[in-house]
Amino acid sequence: MHKIKLYVVLLTALLVLILVNLNANAQATTNSGNKIMLVYDSKNTADHDEKKIDTLQRILTSMNFRVRTLKESNYHGGMLNSSYTAVITMVNWDEAGFTNHQFESDRDNFTGYKIHIGAGLTNNEATQMNVTTARVHQQQFILDDGDNQQILPFSESITVIKKAPSGAQPIGELKTQQQNQKNYSFSTIVGKNAYIPEIANNGLELMVAESTLSQLFGDNSQYKPLLTFTNVSPYVNLKLLVKTSKYCSDHNIPFAISTVTVDKNTELQAYKRFTTALRKVENYGGVIFVQAPTIGGATKDDGPELSQMFTKYFVSFANNQVFPVGISAQNFWNQDTVLRNNSLAKADHWLLLPNTDVTYLKQDNNSRTAVQSLFALPASSINSMKNTSKIKFNVPTALTISIPESNSQLQTDKKEIDSLQTDWLSPKNERWQTRIHSGSTTVEYRSGKYYLNKEYEKIKNKTSTFHVKDNGQTSNTIFKRFFKIQGLILAVFFILVSLILTVFILIGRRIYRNMFKR
């Protein structure tokens, strides 16, 4: 009888643990099993339209979709199958268009969600949506979503939906600036199909595209944006970093910073000053994302060294009571198997920044998801909208501002923050639970409290005694100029040495010649 009771108790405990685990990972599993195939015609780098692909990838990742990105010329028959939730056809260059008939055939037969972005909506796509299209030329539209308006750039031509079935769902409205002109819907959803005439990297056009994708997938969630200061490093004006943090704290503005760091020379006083400033950021209520470094000269074989580098980041930070909540990186890190597996995979919260300097180690274009991925959007990019207080963010978003470099820039940033008039996301009040695991170090954030290897840590003004060790093997080689700044320092050094040697050679030559003139 006692054995039976013991089994019942053990079984009950096991069920409780399972339920707790399921609840803790509920957010992580949302859409995480769903895949989207994104097929584009051209990057159109001449017009910098590769940034639109980058933007769309980050939006979809923030919606917790895994994305496989393909150029249409690389598509082979049968790639688009039932394992995908949706397919996106993205026309980036109207003159190029889609010429892969096998893809078009597979897309027409696909039974999942279908989204067309850009020009070139085919007759088959229009028929499946049961819409009639028209081509409008030489127009400058005003985009209106009910709460906001924005004047769009002049358009040579745009495909609009002229007639849609009664069950269609229009998102946003295109208005001409002339009187007695017909208005058109911006995006249109019909069943499991959607048409978005254009996607921008900022502004109301981006917001409406986000809303279209969210509503198509039946997700009406709205998110508060996280104010995030970027471009923080050990080399910035640390006093201004602290002043910025204090301003946010004094005005009850929750915030985050994205900072690069170092894995060497962490015993130097300069590093101590850096971590002292970061502890003040934490004490003022800010949370910290560790930013992936700039790549310069690494190869796919350097993955273990990259992993070790991140471990050293976290160990050195923990030894100075700095506890990050996640990792920030340019989007291409999530499109590369070596970069992703040795950095982003260590954290369950990501901040995905737009691409600037892209260097792949082993590109696979198969992005993965985290518990939460924040879509980074420059705060300045929404200033052109009429009512910023009424902006609806349909994906987790970080509004970013570069850390000020001067007091005048700080005053400008304060005005920009005040003008946004938005309800900022508070990781503490939203009860964020984050986890970073690297080597033998686990850093957790739970509703405003920090835990190191499951032990509660109270942030102190002064550095506590070192208590975390790096159990990884110390590498004798540098990660092949992983920091581009190191390469710049060496370049400047060699230039200075060359100039000095040149001066010495000229002086010596003159002395040598004067010896024979006497």
Side-chain angles (χ1 to χ4, degrees):
M1 190 70 179
H2 291 293
K3 288 184 177 181
I4 294 174
K5 288 182 179 179
L6 180 61
Y7 289 147
V8 171
V9 170
L10 291 172
L11 182 60
T12 303
L14 180 61
L15 288 172
V16 169
L17 287 173
I18 292 172
L19 288 172
V20 169
N21 186 62
L22 286 173
N23 182 62
N25 292 287
Q27 188 179 6
T29 57
T30 304
N31 287 343
S32 60
N34 293 334
K35 294 194 299 181
I36 289 180
M37 180 176 285
L38 168 59
V39 184
Y40 64 93
D41 60 339
S42 168
K43 288 186 177 181
N44 195 16
T45 54
D47 292 332
H48 304 292
D49 283 346
E50 74 279 3
K51 294 180 180 180
K52 294 180 181 179
I53 300 173
D54 164 33
T55 294
L56 184 56
Q57 287 172 332
R58 289 186 295 126
I59 289 173
L60 295 170
T61 302
S62 295
M63 296 175 71
N64 271 324
F65 284 109
R66 291 182 291 147
V67 184
R68 182 180 186 183
T69 306
L70 279 173
K71 191 176 188 297
E72 61 103 13
S73 58
N74 294 329
Y75 180 89
H76 303 294
M79 283 185 170
L80 181 61
N81 53 48
S82 59
S83 68
Y84 288 92
T85 300
V87 59
I88 297 178
T89 305
M90 186 173 187
V91 177
N92 235 4
W93 188 21
D94 197 9
E95 286 80 1
F98 275 71
T99 58
N100 191 322
H101 300 299
Q102 186 61 64
F103 167 70
E104 292 181 335
S105 175
D106 288 354
R107 180 191 59 194
D108 291 341
N109 294 322
F110 182 65
T111 58
Y113 292 95
K114 302 177 189 178
I115 305 105
H116 184 105
I117 298 176
L121 190 72
T122 66
N123 291 332
N124 283 349
E125 288 177 297
T127 299
Q128 289 184 346
M129 291 184 69
N130 194 22
V131 298
T132 303
T133 63
R135 194 81 166 172
V136 180
H137 302 277
Q138 304 291 324
Q139 288 287 350
Q140 186 166 31
F141 289 103
I142 297 173
L143 176 58
D144 188 335
D145 76 337
D147 294 320
N148 275 287
Q149 287 187 347
Q150 183 176 354
I151 298 176
L152 300 182
F154 182 83
S155 176
E156 291 288 343
S157 63
I158 184 173
T159 300
V160 296
I161 303 296
K162 192 166 93 172
K163 184 178 179 182
S166 57
Q169 183 180 358
I171 314 280
E173 187 176 25
L174 292 172
K175 300 178 179 179
T176 56
Q177 299 189 61
Q178 293 89 2
Q179 292 183 349
N180 302 320
Q181 293 290 319
K182 186 174 181 179
N183 298 335
Y184 305 95
S185 65
F186 180 75
S187 300
T188 304
I189 297 175
V190 181
K192 297 174 72 174
N193 299 273
Y195 170 63
I196 304 173
E198 185 63 64
I199 187 168
N201 299 313
N202 51 53
L204 186 58
E205 206 170 359
L206 172 64
M207 297 292 109
V208 175
E210 280 186 10
S211 178
T212 304
L213 292 170
S214 297
Q215 293 188 49
L216 174 67
F217 295 121
D219 183 3
N220 295 316
S221 301
Q222 292 185 15
Y223 299 87
K224 300 175 183 177
L226 177 63
L227 175 62
T228 306
F229 295 96
T230 57
N231 298 321
V232 179
S233 76
Y235 315 106
V236 300
N237 188 323
L238 298 177
K239 289 183 179 179
L240 279 175
L241 171 61
V242 174
K243 285 179 69 174
T244 303
S245 303
K246 186 178 186 303
Y247 168 80
C248 291
S249 176
D250 291 345
H251 290 78
N252 297 316
I253 300 174
F255 69 101
I257 68 166
S258 171
T259 181
V260 296
T261 184
V262 295
D263 66 322
K264 293 179 174 65
N265 300 321
T266 55
E267 73 284 354
L268 298 181
Q269 194 59 37
Y271 183 80
K272 301 301 179 187
R273 288 194 292 269
F274 174 53
T275 53
T276 296
L278 295 184
R279 285 199 304 278
K280 290 181 179 179
V281 168
E282 292 174 320
N283 280 321
Y284 281 129
V287 296
I288 297 170
F289 286 85
V290 174
Q291 185 170 330
T294 301
I295 299 176
T299 69
K300 64 182 180 181
D301 296 325
D302 291 317
E305 291 182 51
L306 173 60
S307 179
Q308 183 182 341
M309 178 180 288
F310 270 86
T311 298
K312 289 181 178 179
Y313 288 167
F314 301 128
V315 169
S316 298
F317 268 168
N319 285 336
N320 289 275
Q321 286 204 308
V322 176
F323 304 109
V325 300
I327 293 176
S328 62
Q330 294 180 44
N331 179 53
F332 76 88
W333 284 67
N334 196 23
Q335 310 295 323
D336 186 295
T337 182
V338 172
L339 297 177
R340 181 177 60 242
N341 293 344
N342 291 285
S343 60
L344 292 174
K346 297 176 182 290
D348 62 6
H349 278 65
W350 301 343
L351 172 63
L352 293 180
L353 302 164
N355 289 336
T356 52
D357 300 315
V358 179
T359 303
Y360 292 106
L361 300 190
K362 191 176 180 181
Q363 182 180 4
D364 66 350
N365 289 327
N366 284 301
S367 65
R368 296 295 184 263
T369 60
V371 168
Q372 187 171 73
S373 301
L374 295 170
F375 171 70
L377 179 67
S380 59
S381 68
I382 62 174
N383 286 339
S384 59
M385 297 169 63
K386 192 174 181 181
N387 299 311
T388 56
S389 61
K390 294 185 178 181
I391 297 175
K392 297 181 178 68
F393 297 94
N394 296 106
V395 301
T397 302
L399 288 181
T400 61
I401 297 176
S402 183
I403 197 69
E405 298 178 355
S406 64
N407 283 308
S408 60
Q409 183 61 49
L410 175 57
Q411 297 306 316
T412 301
D413 290 346
K414 289 178 180 179
K415 291 179 182 178
E416 182 175 14
I417 294 170
D418 292 340
S419 68
L420 290 172
Q421 297 180 341
T422 188
D423 188 10
W424 297 105
L425 180 144
S426 169
K428 179 180 179 180
N429 294 340
E430 295 294 325
R431 299 186 178 278
W432 265 24
Q433 295 193 27
T434 72
R435 185 175 186 270
I436 295 175
H437 180 74
S438 188
S440 60
T441 304
T442 300
V443 177
E444 294 175 286
Y445 174 89
R446 305 176 201 162
S447 306
K449 295 182 179 180
Y450 295 97
Y451 297 83
L452 178 61
N453 294 334
K454 300 188 176 180
E455 294 290 331
Y456 170 67
E457 293 283 337
K458 185 177 181 180
I459 309 299
K460 302 174 184 177
N461 291 327
K462 294 184 178 181
T463 307
S464 60
T465 305
F466 286 97
H467 53 279
V468 182
K469 294 182 179 180
D470 178 12
N471 68 341
Q473 297 296 318
T474 302
S475 174
N476 293 322
T477 60
I478 298 174
F479 192 60
K480 294 189 179 179
R481 303 179 309 281
F482 204 94
F483 286 113
K484 192 170 284 184
I485 189 169
Q486 291 175 342
L488 291 173
I489 291 172
L490 287 172
V492 171
F493 174 76
F494 284 122
I495 289 171
L496 289 173
V497 170
S498 299
L499 289 173
I500 293 169
L501 288 175
T502 302
V503 171
F504 280 140
I505 290 170
L506 292 174
I507 294 173
R509 185 170 178 269
R510 182 176 297 175
I511 293 172
Y512 186 75
R513 290 178 63 187
N514 289 338
M515 288 172 62
F516 290 96
K517 289 181 180 180
R518 292 175 182 175

